[in-house]
Amino acid sequence: MQARGARLRCAAVVVAAGMIVAGCGAGEDSATGLTDAIGTTSDINPMDRSALREGGNLRLATTSYPANWNTLSNDGNDGEIADILRPAMPRSFEIDAAGKLTLDTDYFTGAELTSTNPMRVTYTINPKAVWSDGSPITWEDIASQANALSGRDKRYLIAITNGFEFVEKVERGVDDRQAILHFSTPFADWRGQFAGNASLYPKSVTSTPEAFNTSLADAMGLTSGPFMITGTDRAQGRITLGRDPRWWGDKPVLDTITYSVLDHSAWVQALQNNELDLVRLATVDDVKTVRGTEGLVVRRAPGNRWRHITFNGAPGSILADQGVRVAISKAIDRKGIVTALQNGLVENPQPLNNHVFLQGQEGYRDNSLGFDPEAAARELDALGWVRNGDVREKDGRKLVIRDVMYNDPTWVQVAQIIQQNLAAIGVGLTIDTKPAAGYFTDVIQPGDFDAAQFVFQGDPFPLSSLRQIYFYDPNDLQGNYGRIGSPELNALIERTLTELDPQKSIELANEVDRKVFEEGHSLPLMQSDGSVGARTTLANIGSPGLASYDYTKIGFTK
């Protein structure tokens, strides 16, 4: 919601979080980061187009080849895929570093709340807006996507309803370039339905369950943006975007953007070797390495990504009991984890204590249950998990959990700290690392874990993801990979989503957050410090904070 400013939702899952431990320690001895709050800054080396050289290739990296190019689907619900497609797909609003929204007039000349009782939203499409084959973007594209994401047809394997469960119908407006959304009940974050991490797809992708689920599994279809997918090579791990000749907006500075599939542990070295132009950083050694390399610079604004642990509460799992999940949550020293990982990157590392809001944002409160290993031990005793040597047992079953993560040194470091924490209360933890390829489709979505570590990436529309991740419907899991929830939490989420008063929705969202902690659903660990390494000559891209990029302005200085 624009009125609430800079807040994030966890609408797209990012494989592996992109965090690495670099072996090189060269550069400045001090790597102390900034301490400003999210929602106020970006660090992208802003430059006027006149200062940039025409053309060029921007070289970026991704950890795995897309499993499905439809980011609205469960298989494609990956922040890295969304990043690749961002310069090629329509969105309704641009976002600045403070989370303020501005209508993206390349695609829409209007996006307005035209009635509150009943609620109606009217989108007017730019008459110049076309898909990459030259066909116009019309109200039918909006109507088709609204229907697909409504959740009414369970054959659509959707990642998120995004508020479309409240849209009872979409009608044609004054012409084919206008869509009127009729809501059965108010929806607070309506501005995010085609913005932030949610882009508009053509009706050819959303018109049938089969098209939605599988038509983009092997290749991207129609796009609409300054860039389009011009080449893919799954075997070589290469994705190329080039200028779309049908683009009606400002001409892009760059000729091409190239993504290479590369294990995250190699990103910093590839940047040093002039094989990449921009990478995410996570450790003091990463920062020192970049600062100590000629031609490179560290750019930083507080990030919108956050690490967490998702627990598996499915029937029969070792963590099916809510009390066990809560006890284990209390035994994990999140302050110790964030200190180990971020000391030197930020002045006073603090764990993230909210599932909805990030530190520094309006609405952020500490709703966590706190670090209390003594209470955790007592609670496990009361639940009948008796310590027998190093590990507790109950009914002949040992309390050992399998922690699954992308095979990355930093994730393993987090797991090792948790392993030590849990050993102190008689709980065993097995560290189970997985490759990036198939991590979500083969491991996380089927629930092949007791605990799982990954990263959520947000945008300024947090409320719709409450339903995506914390609402429990066994027939429509969406992003609730741990299969945890309750009727009470579901009802509270529904109340929050339909509350149009900004302050009341903040209060309700914090009630949701506390209930999520009490369910033992998941445990937030830390917010990204937002550090990236970049070429000194790279402009209008870097560490954006909440802001969206203008891909027509990204380029290299003369």
Side-chain angles (χ1 to χ4, degrees):
M1 293 185 66
Q2 188 173 2
R4 273 173 272 174
R7 297 185 290 115
L8 303 183
R9 70 174 177 186
C10 5
V13 179
V14 181
V15 177
M19 305 303 187
I20 59 179
V21 178
C24 177
E28 299 179 15
D29 291 336
S30 172
T32 301
L34 307 178
T35 56
D36 50 310
I38 188 146
T40 57
T41 62
S42 64
D43 187 0
I44 62 170
N45 190 26
M47 291 271 184
D48 188 81
R49 187 182 184 114
S50 62
L52 306 182
R53 62 180 173 88
E54 186 71 18
N57 175 41
L58 174 63
R59 300 165 299 173
L60 303 173
T62 187
T63 56
S64 62
Y65 194 86
N68 191 323
W69 293 87
N70 180 7
T71 59
L72 306 174
S73 73
N74 250 333
D75 287 345
N77 182 31
D78 184 326
E80 289 192 314
I81 304 173
D83 287 344
I84 294 169
L85 292 177
R86 207 166 288 267
M89 298 299 286
R91 285 177 174 80
S92 54
F93 291 98
E94 296 173 339
I95 306 164
D96 71 8
K100 182 180 177 181
L101 307 180
T102 303
L103 187 68
D104 190 332
T105 54
D106 282 330
Y107 297 109
F108 295 95
T109 58
E112 301 166 313
L113 181 64
T114 47
S115 173
T116 56
N117 188 21
M119 181 174 169
R120 294 180 183 175
V121 173
T122 300
Y123 286 91
T124 304
I125 302 164
N126 185 330
K128 297 180 180 178
V130 297
W131 297 107
S132 51
D133 65 352
S135 60
I137 298 176
T138 75
W139 76 278
E140 292 180 325
D141 296 307
I142 291 175
S144 181
Q145 185 156 317
N147 177 67
L149 297 186
S150 69
R152 289 186 281 270
D153 187 340
K154 302 303 182 184
R155 294 175 300 168
Y156 285 92
L157 302 180
I158 62 175
I160 182 172
T161 54
N162 206 21
F164 288 110
E165 69 268 37
F166 303 125
V167 176
E168 60 183 4
K169 65 178 178 179
V170 179
E171 288 184 331
R172 181 180 183 270
V174 295
D175 58 24
D176 284 349
R177 296 289 193 159
Q178 190 174 77
I180 303 172
L181 279 63
H182 294 251
F183 288 76
S184 57
T185 188
F187 175 57
D189 259 356
W190 65 267
R191 293 178 183 87
Q193 289 186 302
F194 300 106
N197 286 320
S199 56
L200 175 64
Y201 276 78
K203 63 184 178 182
S204 59
V205 174
T206 57
S207 58
T208 69
E210 182 180 10
F212 185 91
N213 299 336
T214 64
S215 68
L216 302 186
D218 296 320
M220 186 58 194
L222 297 179
T223 57
S224 178
F227 290 89
M228 61 189 297
I229 306 295
T230 55
T232 58
D233 189 328
R234 185 185 293 269
Q236 294 295 319
R238 191 65 52 87
I239 299 163
T240 305
L241 293 84
R243 293 175 179 172
D244 184 342
R246 297 184 187 273
W247 173 244
W248 60 95
D250 292 341
K251 180 183 176 182
V253 173
L254 293 168
D255 289 322
T256 54
I257 302 171
T258 302
Y259 277 88
S260 297
V261 177
L262 191 63
D263 189 273
H264 216 125
S265 61
W267 284 19
V268 170
Q269 184 176 352
L271 182 69
Q272 280 188 292
N273 293 343
N274 196 24
E275 297 165 357
L276 296 174
D277 298 309
L278 179 76
V279 300
R280 292 192 305 273
L281 310 174
T283 69
V284 174
D285 280 348
D286 291 344
V287 171
K288 289 180 177 180
T289 297
V290 171
R291 285 181 173 171
T293 303
E294 185 177 358
L296 301 181
V297 65
V298 173
R299 304 206 182 282
R300 182 193 181 274
N304 64 349
R305 299 167 182 256
W306 51 281
R307 292 176 178 267
H308 82 290
I309 305 168
T310 280
F311 298 115
N312 189 343
S317 68
I318 192 73
L319 299 181
D321 188 329
Q322 174 188 359
V324 175
R325 298 193 302 268
V326 169
I328 286 175
S329 297
K330 292 179 181 179
I332 295 174
D333 183 5
R334 297 180 302 120
K335 171 66 172 175
I337 292 171
V338 69
T339 299
L341 268 65
Q342 291 192 342
N343 190 40
L345 288 172
V346 295
E347 290 185 10
N348 183 26
Q350 294 294 327
L352 182 64
N353 293 313
N354 198 296
H355 294 84
V356 184
F357 305 103
L358 293 186
Q359 295 167 3
Q361 294 178 306
E362 181 185 6
Y364 179 84
R365 297 173 192 164
D366 182 352
N367 295 316
S368 67
L369 304 180
F371 174 53
D372 193 344
E374 293 181 358
R378 290 194 303 270
E379 291 168 15
L380 290 175
D381 287 339
L383 291 168
W385 287 97
V386 179
R387 191 155 186 165
N388 183 7
D390 292 333
V391 179
R392 294 174 181 269
E393 294 182 0
K394 181 180 180 180
D395 299 329
R397 191 178 190 184
K398 292 184 180 294
L399 188 49
V400 177
I401 64 175
R402 183 168 57 93
D403 187 8
V404 173
M405 70 215 70
Y406 166 62
N407 190 9
D408 176 272
T410 304
W411 277 126
V412 173
Q413 183 182 2
V414 171
Q416 288 171 338
I417 296 172
I418 295 172
Q419 191 177 51
Q420 294 170 359
N421 294 157
L422 297 185
I425 63 164
V427 177
L429 184 137
T430 302
I431 299 172
D432 187 0
T433 59
K434 303 289 185 181
Y439 183 63
F440 278 90
T441 55
D442 301 337
V443 179
I444 302 302
Q445 287 181 23
D448 185 16
F449 61 89
D450 299 323
Q453 299 182 36
F454 51 94
V455 159
F456 283 128
Q457 172 178 294
D459 63 24
F461 311 100
L463 299 185
S464 59
S465 287
L466 298 181
R467 194 187 195 291
Q468 177 195 15
I469 299 166
Y470 308 115
F471 190 99
Y472 181 59
D473 178 351
N475 298 314
D476 184 19
L477 290 173
Q478 296 188 38
N480 192 342
Y481 302 123
R483 296 154 172 81
I484 295 169
S486 67
E488 295 78 16
L489 179 55
N490 286 357
L492 187 56
I493 289 171
E494 295 284 4
R495 283 181 58 201
T496 306
L497 291 177
T498 57
E499 176 55 68
L500 291 180
D501 181 273
Q503 292 306 314
K504 288 181 181 178
S505 71
I506 286 176
E507 295 297 324
L508 288 168
N510 274 288
E511 290 183 34
V512 169
D513 179 51
R514 178 66 181 190
K515 186 68 174 173
V516 171
F517 275 110
E518 292 172 348
E519 290 281 346
H521 177 284
S522 51
L523 197 61
L525 297 176
M526 74 197 76
Q527 184 175 330
S528 167
D529 67 288
S531 298
V532 302
R535 307 236 154 264
T536 55
T537 55
L538 189 57
N540 298 320
I541 188 173
S543 186
L546 288 181
S548 53
Y549 290 130
D550 183 342
Y551 282 87
T552 67
K553 295 180 179 178
I554 297 170
F556 296 91
T557 55
K558 292 179 178 177

